[in-house]
């Protein structure tokens, strides 16, 4: 398997008859528990900085997966069916090849971009003639991924076509609420949940609670998680009647024909539906601090995943603006991780994150330095709008609240009668309230208006607002396309102030994360009340051609 | 007294270019766009340019158009990031080969001869493709790719410098005709007065022209396309495989963009993405390009082709039209590459009332006169 030119960065694997799967790195193999996500396994071995940027020569570790677990990984997995293509779970011995280290072109174009900013190709010296010829070569030489012929498709054995009346996207409390109400009314449904286990955020908390020695978690925290778990349990009962089906996989969006595509471990599923209900929650955007692109800057959700596998190592600072984030932080601490919560105040503010190839320290505005291995952020959560927005649900930025709000009525219905959004993806409610919001929508879908109204009464609208965060000019807004706050300023100087135009000028939101994180930070930087995001494009999760083609083949 | 010498309806590539060239001549120009500049079809296309058309008129037009497009950075200060990698047609039957052989003689007479290649040579030059029983191919080195957004941004910056009045988010609701002469346009209840009016509204052109009682034979066709995640740059030419009905090219970021050529929906239907296109594109792409199987499809979108009966654009004015009404539209999928030259010609035509030689074959009256252009090479 050895190829010339990338010996240092080729990871060897071997087949073995043992039950414990192993990954081999630089001729050193390590064993992992079966089912461990590949990124977690590598993180655990300290292999976070082995992969360099796809372009622009910036070091990006496996920890980049914090953006969206497997979604943003550019790891190439070879071998047959060894690793789940959506979540890269190690189930047998693994043969993995990472892309080469940053190419010279990548490093150079990174410098060009750093120096001239976005749109650097318009510079007088680079926009025509020999200057452009050279620049073009630098840019085209900058992609880091393997050449095409080295790619091998993941083994996709499964092609399935499914028809349901109601398709629920997201198995957190809101999605479970919808499922419970539909089941109680005798309606059929399918629920897509990427982890395969319903519960969403609560499920992550449960795993941490289980991993922690009981004496460490506080009674209050345990009690809060337990009461939420009871809701998860009553919602999960919906799957017992057989009217509903739980699909494990990543929902990649749906098309004009009302067919959704789900990417799962073994292949792809096409689901045609009459109604679709988005319950895909919200997430924390990365703080706009200098150094926010370094490996080791990870979201609280990802930190929780690492901690549950005991892979969160070294000194960790939790930058918290969110109550739920603080709770998860305490659970992580209870699991034995060295994590310390930090709440920004007038007296103590973080100025920047420092590090060469990964996080090494944070610097406070008063000049104090604190050495670190991980910087975990639990910022004010924003609706995971990529799915509802793709489907036509409007969102707009409310500057005073520092948050996105959806054009959704109180019960979750939208302008399209067959399209609903429930729970925290609407920006209206979360956790317990989300469950009731889901129930209300589920009953409304079953034409049971009395029950729907009763549940709506239990929904408390959350009015909270995010704390205005620091914004340094060289903080990254978009980490896939290397767009910084200063690039937005450059766009404004050129008269480009609308999201659509800025997207086209800087590349903001067009990378492989499909804007899942950078959208908020972009709108926050624009700071324009009522600004609506750029048009969201399909597929919401980059999908291997092999999966899409298998659906096409079977249609023939 | 008019507010403007010329009102332009439609702020896409063609409208912007026309506005720019008119303003450069010192005319007072206003450009009215119903959404934002470039929002229609200008920012939704495949970003290719070619000189190799079937109709000689179009070849001549694009030989000049190519020069104009590639010199755009000098004019606007915005690099259109050209990749001059050529167009590569992979041909699977002798009849197609023969056709290209004959066409190449015409192209040679216009100074843009390409290379006719044998089957073996095609496979050598495109080693990553699984081409089966290909009989040969045609390579047009004069063709290539560019970035459409940068054309729009460039003109936008240039017309700002020339103080063109830009009205975005202003849908035109009426065209004012007084005494057989166009005197302005209505945006809601507002009247904008101008001596002349040019419709550059792409697929929406017939809706606008009807406001002045003029029918222009343009119909919309929704097409879809998409790009992958970035991969190492390896594919210079724009590859077209007519027998599979698929084309693709690699962009500067390393993304592979492409589409199938025969899946389309007629009419101004909503610009959404379809499942049918997505799975069909993936299926056909992998058949010729199995190495793409593990590459992830990243973004897709749709846009309109603005088709005319002879698949060639309509520019100038009709004899029976109200005085002062002009059109430049119906580019049938070639609007972006043609926009720089079109603007220059239109500006000459509108400001001086002379008709440049290049645009003569494309007059709106050619259908009534029975002199269509007959362009069949549309992908």
């Amino acid at each position: 398997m050895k190829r010339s030119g990338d010996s240092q960065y080729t990871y060897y694997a071997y087949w073995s008859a043992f039950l414990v799967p192993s990954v081999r790195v630089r001729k050193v193999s390590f064993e992992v528990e079966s089912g461990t996500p590949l990124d977690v396994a590598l993180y655990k071995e300290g292999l976070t900085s082995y992969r360099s940027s796809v372009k622009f020569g910036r070091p990006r570790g496996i920890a980049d997966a914090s953006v969206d677990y497997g979604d943003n990984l550019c790891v190439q997995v070879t071998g047959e069916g060894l690793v789940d293509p959506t979540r890269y779970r190690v189930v047998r011995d693994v043969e993995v090849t990472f892309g080469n280290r940053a190419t010279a072109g990548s490093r150079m174009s990174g410098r060009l971009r750093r120096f001239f900013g976005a749109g650097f190709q318009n510079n007088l010296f680079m926009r025509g003639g020999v200057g452009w010829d050279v620049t073009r070569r630098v840019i085209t030489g900058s992609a880091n991924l393997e050449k095409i012929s080295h790619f091998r498709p993941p083994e996709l054995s499964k092609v399935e076509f499914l028809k349901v009346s109601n398709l629920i996207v997201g198995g957190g409390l809101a999605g479970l609420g919808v499922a419970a109400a539909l089941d109680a009314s005798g309606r059929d449904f399918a629920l897509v949940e990427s982890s395969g286990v319903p519960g969403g955020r609560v499920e992550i908390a449960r795993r941490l609670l289980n991993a922690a020695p009981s004496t460490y978690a506080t009674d209050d925290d345990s009690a809060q998680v337990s009461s939420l778990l009871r809701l998860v349990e009553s919602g999960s009962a919906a799957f017992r009647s057989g009217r509903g089906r739980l699909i494990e996989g990543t929902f990649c969006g749906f098309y004009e024909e009302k067919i959704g595509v789900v990417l799962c471990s073994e292949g792809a599923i096409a689901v045609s539906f009459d109604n679709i209900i988005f319950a895909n929650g919200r997430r924390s955007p990365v703080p706009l601090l200098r150094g926010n692109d370094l490996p080791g800057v990870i979201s609280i959700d990802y930190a929780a995943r690492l901690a549950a596998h005991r892979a969160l190592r070294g000194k960790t600072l939790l930058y918290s603006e969110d109550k739920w984030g603080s709770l998860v932080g305490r659970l992580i601490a209870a699991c034995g991780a060295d994590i310390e919560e930090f709440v920004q105040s007038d007296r103590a503010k973080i100025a920047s994150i420092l590090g060469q190839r990964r996080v090494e320290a944070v610097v406070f505005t008063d000049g104090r330095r604190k050495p670190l291995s991980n910087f975990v952020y639990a910022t004010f959560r924003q609706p995971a709008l990529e799915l509802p927005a793709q489907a036509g649900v409007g969102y707009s930025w409310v500057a005073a609240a520092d948050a996105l709000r959806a054009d959704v009525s109180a019960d979750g219905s939208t302008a399209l009668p067959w399209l609903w959004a429930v729970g925290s993806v609407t920006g209206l409610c979360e956790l317990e309230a989300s469950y009731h919001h889901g129930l209300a929508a589920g009953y409304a879908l079953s034409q049971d208006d009395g029950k729907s109204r009763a549940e709506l009464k239990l929904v408390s609208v959350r009015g909270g607002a995010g704390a205005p965060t620091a914004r340094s000019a060289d903080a990254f807004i978009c980490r896939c396309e290397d767009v910084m706050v200063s690039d937005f300023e450059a766009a404004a100087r050129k008269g480009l102030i609308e999201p659509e135009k800025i997207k086209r000028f800087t590349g903001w939101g067009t990378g492989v994360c499909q804007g899942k994180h950078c959208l908020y930070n972009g709108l926050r930087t624009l700071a324009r009340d009522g600004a609506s995001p750029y048009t969201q494009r399909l597929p919401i999760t980059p999908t291997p051609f092999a999966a899409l083609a298998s659906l096409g083949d079977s249609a023939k | 007294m008019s507010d403007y010498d010329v009102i332009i309806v439609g702020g896409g590539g063609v409208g912007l270019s026309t506005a720019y060239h008119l303003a450069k001549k010192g005319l007072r120009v206003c450009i009215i766009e119903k959404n934002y500049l470039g929002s229609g079809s200008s920012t939704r296309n495949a970003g290719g340019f070619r000189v190799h058309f079937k109709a000689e008129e179009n070849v001549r037009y694009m030989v000049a158009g190519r020069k104009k497009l590639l010199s755009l950075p000098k004019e606007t200060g915005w690099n259109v990031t050209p990749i001059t990698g050529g167009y590569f047609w992979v041909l699977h039957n002798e009849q197609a080969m023969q056709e290209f052989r004959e066409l190449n003689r015409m192209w040679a007479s216009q100074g843009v001869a390409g290379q006719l290649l044998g089957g073996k040579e095609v496979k050598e030059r495109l080693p990553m493709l699984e081409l089966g029983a290909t009989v040969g191919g045609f390579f047009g080195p004069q063709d290539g790719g560019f970035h459409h957004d940068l054309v729009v941004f460039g003109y936008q910056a240039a017309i700002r410098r020339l103080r063109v009045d830009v009205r975005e988010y202003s849908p035109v609701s009426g065209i004012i005709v007084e005494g057989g002469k166009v005197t302005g346009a209505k945006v809601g209840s507002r009247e904008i007065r101008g001596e002349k009016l040019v419709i550059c509204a792409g697929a929406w052109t017939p809706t606008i022209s009807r406001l002045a009682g003029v029918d222009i034979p343009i119909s919309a066709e929704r097409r879809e396309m998409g790009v992958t995640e970035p991969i190492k740059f390896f594919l210079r030419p724009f590859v077209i495989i007519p027998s599979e009905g698929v084309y693709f090219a690699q962009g500067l970021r390393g993304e592979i963009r492409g589409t199938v050529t025969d899946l389309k929906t007629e009419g101004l239907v909503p610009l959404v993405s379809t499942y049918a296109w997505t799975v069909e594109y993936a299926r056909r792409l992998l058949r010729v390009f199995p190495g793409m199987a593990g590459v992830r499809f990243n973004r897709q979108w749709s846009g309109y082709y603005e088709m005319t009966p002879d698949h060639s654009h309509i520019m100038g004015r009709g004899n029976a039209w109200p005085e002062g009404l002009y059109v430049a539209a119906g580019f049938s999928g070639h609007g972006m590459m043609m926009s720089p030259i079109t603007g220059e010609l239109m500006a000459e035509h509108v400001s001086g009332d002379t008709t440049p030689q290049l645009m003569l074959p494309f007059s709106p009256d050619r259908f009534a006169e029975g002199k269509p252009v007959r362009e069949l090479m549309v992908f």
Side-chain angles (χ1 to χ4, degrees), chain A residues 71 121-122 126 132 136 140 145 148 255-257 498 501 504 510 514 537-538 542-543 545-546 553, chain B residues 36 79 82 149 168-169 222 230-233 253 273-276 278 283 293 295-300:
Chain A
D71 290 357
Q121 63 275 34
N122 301 320
M126 299 175 203
W132 171 238
R136 196 191 63 221
T140 52
L145 280 180
I148 207 80
Y255 296 86
E256 192 190 26
E257 298 94 326
E498 292 130 308
K501 289 183 183 172
R504 297 196 155 96
T510 62
Q514 280 286 45
R537 299 279 185 225
L538 281 165
T543 314
F545 272 117
D553 282 336
Chain B
Y36 58 90
N79 189 351
D149 288 349
E168 289 177 284
Y169 307 103
R222 180 182 71 189
I231 48 179
K232 200 168 260 181
F233 196 81
R253 289 180 184 188
S273 297
T274 66
Y275 175 79
T278 309
R283 195 177 74 88
V295 177
R296 297 176 305 169
F297 191 46
N298 199 29
R299 301 168 67 73
Q300 65 189 91

Side-chain angles (χ1 to χ4, degrees), chain A residues 157-182:
Chain A
S157 51
K158 181 169 170 176
V159 188
E160 200 184 333
F161 298 88
L162 202 65
K163 195 168 167 24
V164 293
S165 305
N166 302 289
L167 178 62
I168 307 165
V169 182
L173 282 166
L176 286 173
V178 180
L182 288 171

